[in-house]
Amino acid sequence: MAPSVSANVVIIGSGMAGVAAAHRLVKAGFENVQILEATGRSGGRIQTSRLGETIVEIGANWIHGPSQENPLFCLARDYGLLDPEALKPENQAMDVEEYPPWVSNWFSSSGQKLSAKCMKPALQFFFELLDNTPKSASSGKQSWTSVGHFIRSKAQQRAAKRWKDKDEATRQLLLCAISTMLKVECCASATHTMDDIDVVGFTMYKHLSGLDCTFPGGFEGFISNLMSELPSDLVTYNRPVRCVRWNNTESGMNPVTVECDDGERIAADHVILTVPLGFLKKHHSTLFSPPLPVHKLHSIHKLGFGTCDKIYVEFESPWWDADCGIIYLVWKDEEDVSDQVSDISKSWTRKIPSLTVLKPSESGSHVLCGWISGHEAEYMEKLPEQEVRRAITELIHTFTGDCTITPKRILCTRWFHDPWTCGSYSHPAVGCSAQDFMNMTEPLPTKEKQLQPLQVLFAGEATHPCYYSTVHGALLSGWREADRLISHYSSVNPCNDSDQKS
Ligand code: 6YU
């Protein structure tokens, strides 16, 4: 049996990182662990809902890289939450990186369906460039200010030579398709533009092998399984934290006091903070007393956090091919390889580069998921649903040339305006480095030896140096901080079998 530890541990946030930390600590014998959660539910950016009969994910969709190295995959498999297809060794061995192996349908802004075979060279070229993003900001005589700058320059430089066998109109169309792919990448990185993504930071992200898979019963089932192994009163819901008062030096007092919005104060020996980077960026000045050290603040500012939203649209019958997995939309005037829209209020739907096809439900409903990122997504979030529906319908009419297509229902996400998240997920913004991720993970107090150690620890997706932006990154970050406390108590008192309070 694990030795018990009576230290008070308060975890702020009941998303993947918070639940993972609690699970690890409880299993290791920590008796006084509690989670304070601002909302009425656990899961945070893992949230499953329904559109009619269809299960839809408001937050995370896929297990990225479902294979043995991915603890999220291993746990989900052990809980029996995955389709047999996802468990096949050949699926786990697949090295797909960013290139989705789905059958694609292409439509152009002149209302034509384009042949996927004709558009394949654009996909190939784009992913070749992305895979070869330089690991340093300059190579030879060339230097790159961002991933967007690198892709745009290389695409424009090489298009004529690479596609010399094609006529000018086809070359232009393929360059327009590169713009589409750049916008797809903006969604993957939750950024307004790939011009904001650092080349070195981008290559720090580690791809795991395995063909991305979903949870047939919904991602939230994963959180429920973990929670079912924890005491039922572990989480206090609707309990936002407004201030973490650390470095209490009064004798007899716990080193940290957590102050909630309702004025309640909770004494803690250790706090594990898992609030999203978006929330930290907005509220750090009031969330900590004393304030965070300057180097930590700099890193919070330097790392990026942006918006990626989804617009689910249900149709009576599909207007795409039966085997289609993704629909790409190509604007015929975007040969400049751009990923930004000039007049957002009029043309925000231009930022939607693709729609993924959900498996048809047993009831026979047909649902697409449109993707949108950046300021255009933030603009969309403020519109009434009726207006989003009107604009999406118009977009589909433009691209299919069929004005009879009518969506049955729609549902859009609003992550930027979620007060506890303030965006979707983190990205390596221009100018950030591995050191910034290290600074994010550094516990408080940072150096002062005479102070009580490990008062405030930091977890959450944005604290993982190579799996940032993912659920498995969040999971590992929660385990990392739990392990930090576990090893602290085992080194403080290696033979202890009870009451290991420091
Ligand atoms: C993944 C995927 N996925 C789509 C969309 C979103 C995200 N992600 P949480 O926010 O969960 O928890 C914090 C809690 O704290 C929360 O409950 C708050 O309410 C609470 N809180 C806040 N303030 C508080 C306070 N003051 N007091 C108390 N409580 C407070 N990840 O693996 N697969 O398909 C997607 C996607 C639309 C929004 C995603 C995906 C990201 C994950 O959802 C996210 O990382 C984790 O759930 C975060 O868990 P957490 O615990 O840290 O925070 C090369 C290269 C490029 C890099 N990118 C490539 C990968 C692309 C990532 N793909 C994402 C794509 C989609 C579609």
Side-chain angles (χ1 to χ4, degrees):
M1 208 170 106
S4 65
V5 181
S6 67
N8 275 322
V9 182
V10 173
I11 298 171
I12 303 176
S14 196
M16 184 70 263
V19 172
H23 194 268
R24 191 81 148 201
L25 288 171
V26 169
K27 297 286 164 215
F30 280 64
E31 292 172 326
N32 294 310
V33 178
Q34 61 173 313
I35 303 183
L36 303 177
E37 166 56 44
T39 69
R41 51 178 286 280
S42 284
R45 283 171 274 170
I46 294 174
Q47 187 180 357
T48 305
S49 184
R50 276 183 185 270
L51 179 66
E53 299 295 312
T54 309
I55 291 178
V56 294
E57 301 292 357
I58 304 299
N61 254 61
W62 294 285
I63 301 183
H64 290 309
S67 49
Q68 293 299 330
E69 235 189 295
N70 187 333
L72 173 65
F73 168 74
C74 295
L75 282 170
R77 176 198 58 201
D78 297 349
Y79 286 138
L81 298 174
L82 302 178
D83 262 343
E85 189 69 19
L87 305 177
K88 285 186 177 164
E90 54 271 35
N91 269 49
Q92 293 181 48
M94 236 183 250
D95 186 11
V96 285
E97 299 236 330
E98 293 275 307
Y99 199 147
W102 306 319
V103 171
S104 51
N105 282 184
W106 293 77
F107 291 88
S108 82
S109 52
S110 54
Q112 285 164 314
K113 188 157 184 267
L114 305 166
S115 127
K117 192 167 163 235
C118 292
M119 301 312 287
K120 202 171 173 192
L123 267 188
Q124 278 174 333
F125 188 23
F126 180 79
F127 285 109
E128 215 175 281
L129 289 174
L130 206 63
D131 285 349
N132 289 308
T133 301
K135 289 194 168 50
S136 90
S138 56
S139 60
K141 281 189 206 136
Q142 291 174 305
S143 63
W144 316 108
T145 54
S146 63
V147 175
H149 178 218
F150 169 74
I151 302 261
R152 186 174 307 107
S153 316
K154 290 287 175 197
Q156 285 168 340
Q157 272 168 24
R158 294 188 191 164
K161 195 166 167 207
R162 185 173 175 111
W163 296 322
K164 59 179 182 300
D165 56 326
K166 304 194 189 304
D167 59 41
E168 185 54 24
T170 307
R171 276 202 296 270
Q172 297 278 322
L173 187 66
L174 291 173
L175 278 172
C176 293
I178 301 271
S179 293
T180 300
M181 297 315 298
L182 210 54
K183 288 184 255 179
V184 168
E185 207 45 43
C186 287
C187 294
S189 290
T191 184
H192 176 58
T193 163
M194 291 306 284
D195 294 359
D196 290 344
I197 302 294
D198 193 86
V199 279
V200 183
F202 187 74
T203 56
M204 278 170 2
Y205 182 85
K206 190 175 166 209
H207 291 274
L208 294 171
S209 69
L211 181 61
D212 287 3
C213 67
T214 55
F215 286 81
F219 219 130
E220 240 181 63
F222 179 74
I223 293 287
S224 311
N225 268 271
L226 276 177
M227 298 290 294
S228 70
E229 294 169 3
L230 293 172
S232 58
D233 59 352
L234 189 94
V235 187
T236 309
Y237 292 104
N238 303 305
R239 184 58 62 88
V241 168
R242 77 169 164 225
C243 188
V244 177
R245 299 186 185 280
W246 54 292
N247 257 354
N248 292 340
T249 46
E250 266 177 61
S251 68
M253 268 184 76
N254 291 74
V256 196
T257 305
V258 176
E259 195 177 296
C260 301
D261 265 7
D262 60 8
E264 184 173 346
R265 288 167 166 247
I266 298 164
D269 295 304
H270 309 282
V271 165
I272 303 182
L273 189 88
T274 74
V275 302
L277 176 61
F279 185 89
L280 263 186
K281 279 178 181 281
K282 201 166 170 184
H283 298 289
H284 64 79
S285 64
T286 49
L287 193 60
F288 300 95
S289 175
L292 291 175
V294 171
H295 67 285
K296 214 168 169 80
L297 274 181
H298 279 164
S299 297
I300 288 172
H301 291 309
K302 275 163 76 185
L303 292 171
F305 194 81
T307 309
C308 165
D309 275 317
K310 309 178 196 181
I311 308 169
Y312 286 103
V313 198
E314 185 183 359
F315 299 89
E316 207 69 65
S317 51
W319 45 269
W320 51 93
D321 294 344
D323 59 351
C324 172
I326 187 162
I327 295 165
Y328 290 115
L329 306 178
V330 182
W331 289 87
K332 288 183 88 174
D333 56 357
E334 289 187 349
E335 64 277 7
D336 57 342
V337 188
S338 71
D339 56 14
Q340 296 179 65
V341 170
S342 53
D343 185 345
I344 292 183
S345 64
K346 273 210 195 102
S347 314
W348 62 270
T349 55
R350 261 188 186 253
K351 194 62 172 271
I352 302 171
S354 62
L355 303 116
T356 42
V357 182
L358 273 67
K359 274 194 194 142
S361 71
E362 276 163 21
S363 65
S365 60
H366 301 275
V367 178
L368 297 179
C369 174
W371 296 86
I372 185 163
S373 72
H375 302 329
E376 293 82 355
E378 290 155 21
Y379 178 83
M380 179 275 296
E381 289 188 17
K382 288 190 291 187
L383 298 173
E385 198 157 284
Q386 270 309 96
E387 177 51 23
V388 177
R389 175 198 281 254
R390 190 206 59 74
I392 289 292
T393 308
E394 187 181 282
L395 182 80
I396 292 165
H397 291 173
T398 304
F399 277 82
T400 57
D402 179 352
C403 291
T404 65
I405 297 172
T406 314
K408 228 168 105 184
R409 293 190 187 93
I410 78 152
L411 186 160
C412 53
T413 67
R414 293 188 162 87
W415 285 104
F416 181 69
H417 289 92
D418 179 318
W420 309 112
T421 311
C422 314
S424 301
Y425 40 92
S426 62
H427 58 245
V430 167
C432 80
S433 67
Q435 186 58 47
D436 293 308
F437 285 104
M438 300 315 291
N439 291 347
M440 290 292 290
T441 54
E442 195 181 18
L444 300 174
T446 49
K447 290 195 179 71
E448 302 88 337
K449 292 236 165 38
Q450 71 280 21
L451 296 172
Q452 181 83 278
L454 305 184
Q455 294 180 28
V456 188
L457 302 98
F458 294 82
E461 55 87 10
T463 69
H464 201 286
C466 56
Y467 300 135
Y468 54 81
S469 77
T470 65
V471 173
H472 55 284
L475 172 79
L476 287 167
S477 75
W479 283 354
R480 179 192 66 220
E481 296 312 313
D483 287 344
R484 207 191 286 275
L485 285 179
I486 293 165
S487 60
H488 171 69
Y489 280 95
S490 43
S491 65
V492 164
N493 223 341
C495 310
N496 196 359
D497 59 0
S498 69
D499 205 27
Q500 293 191 340
K501 191 165 173 175
S502 65

